[in-house]
């Protein structure tokens, strides 16, 4: 039991450090047409919530640096895009949490 408490305490401390430091995320927009992805790309690039690193038009991916959790990143991206009139639906995440997927409906 004391070992488990130590492990849980260390895990929480690591999570707090990760959440408080900038992280790299890849926002992947599967199935979006070129015009829609261009609108998404411009909206994300102009946001002050994160720093855009690069854009891959072929894979419809926007790479960003964001300070916060993957859930906060996904929520903020949805909010920014909703303001621009783009509905991207609910996100899904890769196993490591570094890729956030939005699928066109």
């Amino acid at each position: 039991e004391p070992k488990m408490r130590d492990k849980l305490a260390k895990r929480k401390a690591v999570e707090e450090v990760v959440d408080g430091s900038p992280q790299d995320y890849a926002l992947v927009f599967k199935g979006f047409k070129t015009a829609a992805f261009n609108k998404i790309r411009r909206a994300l690039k102009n946001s002050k919530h994160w720093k855009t690193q690069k854009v891959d038009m072929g894979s419809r991916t926007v790479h960003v640096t964001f300070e916060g959790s993957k859930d906060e990143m996904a929520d903020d991206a949805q909010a920014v895009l909703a303001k621009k009139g783009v509905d991207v639906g609910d996100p899904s995440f890769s196993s490591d949490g570094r890729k956030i997927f939005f699928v066109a409906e």
Side-chain angles (χ1 to χ4, degrees):
E1 210 171 274
K3 268 187 168 183
M4 186 57 94
R5 270 191 238 132
D6 285 345
K7 284 185 178 183
L8 289 173
K10 287 178 185 175
R11 181 177 177 181
K12 181 150 179 78
V14 167
E15 287 174 358
E16 288 172 0
V17 168
V18 168
D19 285 348
S21 62
Q23 301 293 316
D24 293 328
Y25 294 100
L27 305 175
V28 182
F29 297 91
K30 291 183 174 184
F32 286 86
K33 301 216 183 275
T34 302
F37 182 70
N38 280 332
K39 190 173 183 179
I40 290 168
R41 176 182 56 84
R42 282 191 296 275
L44 294 176
K45 187 176 181 181
N46 294 329
S47 177
K48 296 177 183 161
H49 297 277
W50 50 76
K51 183 177 180 189
T52 303
Q53 298 298 328
K54 65 180 180 176
V55 175
D56 183 348
M57 293 295 289
S59 65
R60 304 284 195 259
T61 304
V62 178
H63 298 271
V64 298
T65 300
F66 178 77
E67 190 170 313
S69 70
K70 65 182 181 187
D71 294 323
E72 291 174 41
M73 176 69 237
D75 290 344
D76 286 358
Q78 283 179 304
V80 166
L81 294 171
K83 286 181 184 177
K84 296 291 183 178
V86 180
D87 180 26
V88 292
D90 292 329
S92 61
F93 302 95
S94 64
S95 59
D96 66 356
R98 296 288 174 233
K99 286 187 179 179
I100 303 170
F101 299 96
F102 296 97
V103 181
E105 295 178 358

